[in-house]
Amino acid sequence: MGVDIAFWIMAALAVGAAISVIASRDLFRAALLLVLCFFAVAGIYATLSADFLAIAQVLIYVGAVAVLVIFAVMLTRQVKRGNPFNKFAFPAFFLCGLLMAGFIFVAIDTSWPAVEPAAEVVQEFVDGNPQPTTNAIAGVIFDKDFGFLLPFEIAAALLLAAVIGAIALVREK
Amino acid sequence: MDVGLTHYLVLSGILFCIGLYGALAKHNAVGILMCIEIMLNAVNIAAVAFSRFLAPDVVVLTGHVFALFVMVVAAAEAAVGLAIVITLYRNRETVDVEDADSMKG
């Protein structure tokens, strides 16, 4: 099936790029590999039929966060130091390996309830006319009873505070 | 074998642990911030996968909304974190987290 093949390609790309970000000696190359990892995660969202999130991932992560990271790499370039491991490399590797084994065991061992998509959703896909998720997401955020209006407003204030804080931090005295 | 919830959760766990390893085992503050972004992406994959497979009704997309809020917080964190790194570099001529120890006892 096409979606399965897309999942395997994107998963391999994401994991490979993430490992390369860690392993790369050159920090600038690590930043570019991070962009590749973000793109692969956007593809994973697409295989989950999360169209709005896939576009938001490309716009926010690839468009904004990656540019910020590359700016920071350029402004703080320490060519001789590179991107080495510190003295916790071995214990951290042990801990993360253990944690990863735990995650994989739990994900495989748990019998997740198999819920099938609603009939009309399946029919929309069969007709080749799936509805975009944008309206549905807005419906969830702005719902009167179980919505996320307060978190939405807090997120707006948080972004404003972050922008002002970042400007205040790097301003020349 | 069809790709299901388990595959997405395993992928999410692997990405999270790669990011955690990088965040724990790196010297460079910018590299640590990159690894934290990878961890946040891994969590987003898990949230969207749960939303897709355990609540597949198109009207209930709470997992998508969670992922959006994580993206907002990640963007704010990247802006402030990188500003702090640049200020550190300006004042101490280093981005090595081991050298930023002036509050150490």
Side-chain angles (χ1 to χ4, degrees), chain A residues 72-96:
Chain A
V73 171
M74 291 302 208
L75 287 174
T76 63
R77 198 112 194 240
Q78 292 186 311
V79 180
K80 269 183 275 178
R81 299 294 294 275
N83 190 18
F85 288 103
N86 64 18
K87 61 177 184 290
F88 297 118
F90 182 70
F93 188 79
F94 184 70
L95 179 78
C96 294

Side-chain angles (χ1 to χ4, degrees), chain A residues 48-101:
Chain A
L48 284 164
S49 52
D51 55 342
F52 180 74
L53 273 183
I55 296 300
Q57 168 88 6
V58 173
L59 281 178
I60 296 176
Y61 277 104
V62 181
V65 173
V67 171
L68 273 179
V69 168
I70 288 173
F71 258 106
V73 171
M74 291 302 208
L75 287 174
T76 63
R77 198 112 194 240
Q78 292 186 311
V79 180
K80 269 183 275 178
R81 299 294 294 275
N83 190 18
F85 288 103
N86 64 18
K87 61 177 184 290
F88 297 118
F90 182 70
F93 188 79
F94 184 70
L95 179 78
C96 294
L98 219 61
L99 194 63
M100 190 189 290

Side-chain angles (χ1 to χ4, degrees), chain A residues 16-172:
Chain A
I19 291 175
S20 313
V21 168
I22 311 290
S24 171
R25 300 282 306 170
D26 182 1
L27 201 61
F28 185 71
R29 188 168 296 166
L32 294 182
L33 285 162
L34 186 73
V35 174
L36 181 64
C37 184
F38 288 160
F39 259 121
V41 173
I44 294 285
Y45 290 153
T47 66
L48 284 164
S49 52
D51 55 342
F52 180 74
L53 273 183
I55 296 300
Q57 168 88 6
V58 173
L59 281 178
I60 296 176
Y61 277 104
V62 181
V65 173
V67 171
L68 273 179
V69 168
I70 288 173
F71 258 106
V73 171
M74 291 302 208
L75 287 174
T76 63
R77 198 112 194 240
Q78 292 186 311
V79 180
K80 269 183 275 178
R81 299 294 294 275
N83 190 18
F85 288 103
N86 64 18
K87 61 177 184 290
F88 297 118
F90 182 70
F93 188 79
F94 184 70
L95 179 78
C96 294
L98 219 61
L99 194 63
M100 190 189 290
F103 274 144
I104 293 175
F105 173 74
V106 170
I108 291 174
D109 195 55
T110 310
S111 57
W112 304 104
V115 185
E116 290 305 312
E120 62 266 30
V121 179
V122 175
Q123 193 56 43
E124 280 165 0
F125 273 92
V126 172
D127 295 343
N129 184 26
Q131 294 299 308
T133 53
T134 319
N135 283 350
I137 289 175
V140 176
I141 292 179
F142 299 114
D143 191 274
K144 263 196 224 118
D145 300 322
F146 58 92
F148 294 85
L149 262 181
L150 184 63
F152 181 80
E153 299 293 342
I154 293 173
L158 174 75
L159 278 177
L160 181 66
V163 169
I164 295 174
I167 293 172
L169 271 173
V170 297
R171 192 182 50 170
E172 297 284 350

